[in-house]
């Protein structure tokens, strides 16, 4: 290494955190302000916010309810911030994260516009060397990834894109100045949560919107709206109870899954329950029965109800057929919630192309041509095509553990972690909401707080006991991967063959169910037990013994 690239003393840290979204901000606060560590956050973007820095597409808002989509570790933060709507829109979430960063004086330790190119572990010093694309080098005992699960945009390699004469955008890298759709012919590829949020807003501005649908999707109305003063007052009174529910249930949301089977009710009673849930709106729809995600027969009742709704909303029967021709159980893919998505197809200026029946052949200079030869002329293409989820953000960096082992090699057949927190061969690397943890199956701030608290406690313990390295063992990792598969197989989640949970949306990606499906509360108990048993499943090595 040339001398100029040697880490200077000023660049020596106890911990380097990659990412300044929900995870990175809290991890910085926890390590710096609770443990007194010297910490730096490296963030690729020009501002903080993580997911919400990048996702500024029309209609982008969170599917978790605002009062649950925030930190709960500080009562002061909770009482000083007020959300305006049931589901927060992207600018409000950025305002919130900036409020937190200012309130906790975090920005002085966050280095923006700094993309990490790679990191390597040196067994002799038990430290990580972190390199940025700008050529800076940092050294730290701990490397903590707070890089988000959905931060690596997936732009499909459709032939001809480079010849397209119009403009194109990926929803996850949306221009800050916005896009003017007025009078434009817009093609939107993708009908996941993003596409379902974006289509109604784009349609309201565009000359014409064509939605290219590969896999039809369920959606339930969000029933979004401003929060009433009564609700805000009630919230103040009941926050302790809400926190308790969020931290003790399966999915980290402020509601519990009801302990009754679909078949405890008559068909008429069931329909009444679903109708009420539809009117109430939101992800809570799936929480009405305990067996929706475990029994195909139970799931069918919810699926049929939603398909019936689609047919009753969409006036053109052929379009309704295409939208309701859904091939997977309800909520086996991440279930979207929407504001007038199906209603959008009743507009004169909106059409739907079923690209499962007639796939995209190529992008032409003037639009998109389907295999049948039909060409749709377009001025703008919007890729609402999702992300290389969970592993993508890791593998676009060159992370090397012991003996030069790359993470790409270690994860060749899919991600292998212990608890989604550590990787064998990569000592002192902590992965906030990493693959193998509940992460995206949980309301994210709850999953993040649990991980940050666990990591912080582990580091505090290491410091107290003079431990230099912590490293997941191969054996514990193999057991955890098996447990992850068992937990997924106990649900209907793996049955959605096109799901990004399985990596199926990215050609060539190993098909492994990536998040832990055993439930957040259960997972929290496992993590607590691991810690209580002296970090069982991790090798802890004192300074001299850490160079294996
Ligand atoms: P998703 O849920 O991965 O959805 C992406 C959509 O794009 C989905 O309908 C895909 O169809 C479609 N897609 C992807 N690649 C292609 C190609 N090559 N051709 C046609 N259509 C394609 O991403 P989102 O951004 O909507 O949501 C991600 C998460 O963000 C969401 O689940 C929430 O957790 C928040 P497919 O289903 O693969 O057939």
């Amino acid at each position: 290494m040339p001398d100029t690239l040697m880490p200077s003393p000023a660049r020596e840290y106890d911990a380097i955190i990659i990412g300044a979204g929900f995870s990175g901000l809290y991890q910085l606060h926890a390590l710096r302000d609770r443990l007194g560590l010297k910490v730096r956050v490296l963030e690729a973007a020009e501002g903080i916010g993580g997911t919400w820095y990048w996702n500024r597409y029309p209609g982008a808002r969170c599917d978790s309810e605002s009062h649950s989509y925030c930190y709960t570790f500080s009562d002061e933060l909770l009482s000083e911030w007020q959300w305006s709507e049931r589901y927060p829109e992207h600018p409000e979430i950025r305002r919130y994260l900036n409020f937190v960063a200012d309130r906790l004086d975090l920005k002085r330790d966050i280095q923006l516009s700094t993309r990490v190119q790679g990191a390597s572990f040196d067994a002799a010093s038990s430290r990580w060397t972190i390199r940025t694309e700008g050529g800076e080098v940092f050294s730290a005992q701990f490397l903590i990834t707070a890089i988000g699960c959905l931060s690596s945009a997936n732009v499909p390699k459709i032939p001809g894109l480079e010849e397209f004469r119009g403009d194109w955008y990926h929803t996850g890298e949306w221009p800050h100045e916005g896009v003017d759709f007025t009078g434009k012919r817009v093609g939107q590829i993708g009908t996941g949560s993003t596409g379902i949020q974006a289509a109604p807003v784009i349609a309201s501005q565009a000359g014409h919107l064509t939605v290219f649908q590969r896999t039809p999707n369920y959606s339930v109305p969000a029933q979004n709206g401003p929060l009433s003063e009564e609700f805000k007052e009630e919230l103040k009174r009941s926050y302790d109870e809400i926190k308790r529910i969020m931290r003790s249930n399966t999915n980290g949301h402020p509601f519990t899954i009801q302990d009754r089977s679909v078949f405890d009710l008559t068909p008429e009673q069931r329909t009444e329950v679903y109708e009420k849930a539809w009117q109430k709106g939101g992800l809570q729809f799936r929480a009405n029965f305990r067996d929706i995600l475990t029994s195909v027969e139970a799931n069918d009742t919810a699926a049929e109800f939603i398909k019936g709704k689609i047919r009753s909303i969409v006036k053109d029967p052929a379009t309704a057929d295409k939208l309701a021709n859904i091939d997977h159980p309800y909520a086996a893919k991440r279930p979207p919630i929407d504001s007038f998505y199906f209603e959008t197809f009743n507009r004169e200026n909106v059409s739907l192309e079923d690209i499962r029946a007639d796939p995209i052949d190529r992008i032409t200079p003037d639009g998109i041509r389907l295999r049948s030869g039909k060409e749709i002329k377009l001025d703008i293409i919007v890729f609402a095509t999702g992300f290389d989820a969970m592993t993508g953000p890791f593998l676009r960096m060159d992370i090397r553990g012991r003996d030069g082992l790359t993470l790409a090699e270690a994860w060749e057949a899919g991600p292998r972690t212990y608890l989604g927190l550590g990787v064998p061969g990569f000592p002192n690397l902590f992965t906030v909401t990493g693959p193998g943890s509940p992460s995206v199956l949980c309301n994210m701030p709850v999953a993040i707080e649990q991980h940050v608290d666990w990591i912080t406690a582990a580091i505090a313990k290491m410091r107290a006991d003079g431990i230099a390295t912590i490293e997941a063992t191969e054996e514990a990792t193999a057991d955890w991967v098996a447990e992850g598969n068992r937990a997924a197989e106990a649900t209907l989640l793996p049955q959605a063959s096109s799901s990004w949970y399985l990596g199926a949306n990215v050609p060539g990606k190993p098909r492994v169910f990536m998040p832990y499906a055993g439930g957040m509360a259960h997972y929290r108990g496992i993590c607590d037990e691991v810690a209580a048993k002296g970090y069982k499943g991790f090798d802890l090595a004192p300074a001299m013994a850490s160079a294996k």
Side-chain angles (χ1 to χ4, degrees), residues 420-439:
L421 278 161
V423 185
F426 296 80
N428 291 359
L429 170 70
F430 289 110
T431 53
V432 183
T433 65
S437 71
S439 57

Side-chain angles (χ1 to χ4, degrees), residues 150 156 189-194 214-215 333-334 355 384-387 500:
L150 298 163
I189 305 178
T191 52
S193 300
T194 299
R214 186 162 74 179
T215 305
K333 293 179 82 167
R334 160 70 153 71
I355 55 170
T385 44
F387 302 88
W500 60 258

Side-chain angles (χ1 to χ4, degrees), residues 266-286:
T266 64
E268 294 72 29
Q269 289 169 327
R270 246 177 353 240
T271 305
E272 206 178 307
V273 167
Y274 286 139
E275 185 58 45
K276 261 198 196 147
W278 183 270
Q279 297 309 332
K280 187 160 194 234
L283 293 172
Q284 201 164 351
F285 187 88
R286 67 191 157 164

Side-chain angles (χ1 to χ4, degrees), residues 27-102:
Q27 187 68 78
L28 167 60
H29 171 62
L31 292 181
R32 187 192 70 181
D33 302 334
R34 292 186 195 148
L35 302 192
L37 265 54
K38 189 176 174 200
V39 186
R40 191 140 188 93
V41 176
L42 305 179
E43 165 59 59
E46 289 167 18
I48 67 166
T51 294
W52 299 105
Y53 178 86
W54 300 103
N55 280 272
R56 303 180 189 220
Y57 60 85
R61 62 176 73 243
C62 185
D63 287 348
S64 293
E65 292 181 76
S66 54
H67 67 284
S68 68
Y69 198 69
C70 51
Y71 298 110
T72 60
F73 66 84
S74 154
D75 286 340
E76 288 75 34
L77 290 179
L78 271 177
S79 65
E80 286 171 27
W81 181 262
Q82 281 212 340
W83 295 100
S84 65
E85 288 181 281
R86 181 174 176 188
Y87 298 96
E89 208 184 354
H90 63 95
E92 190 169 18
I93 304 174
R94 279 194 302 281
R95 280 200 299 279
Y96 169 73
L97 290 172
N98 274 283
F99 150 76
V100 172
D102 290 336

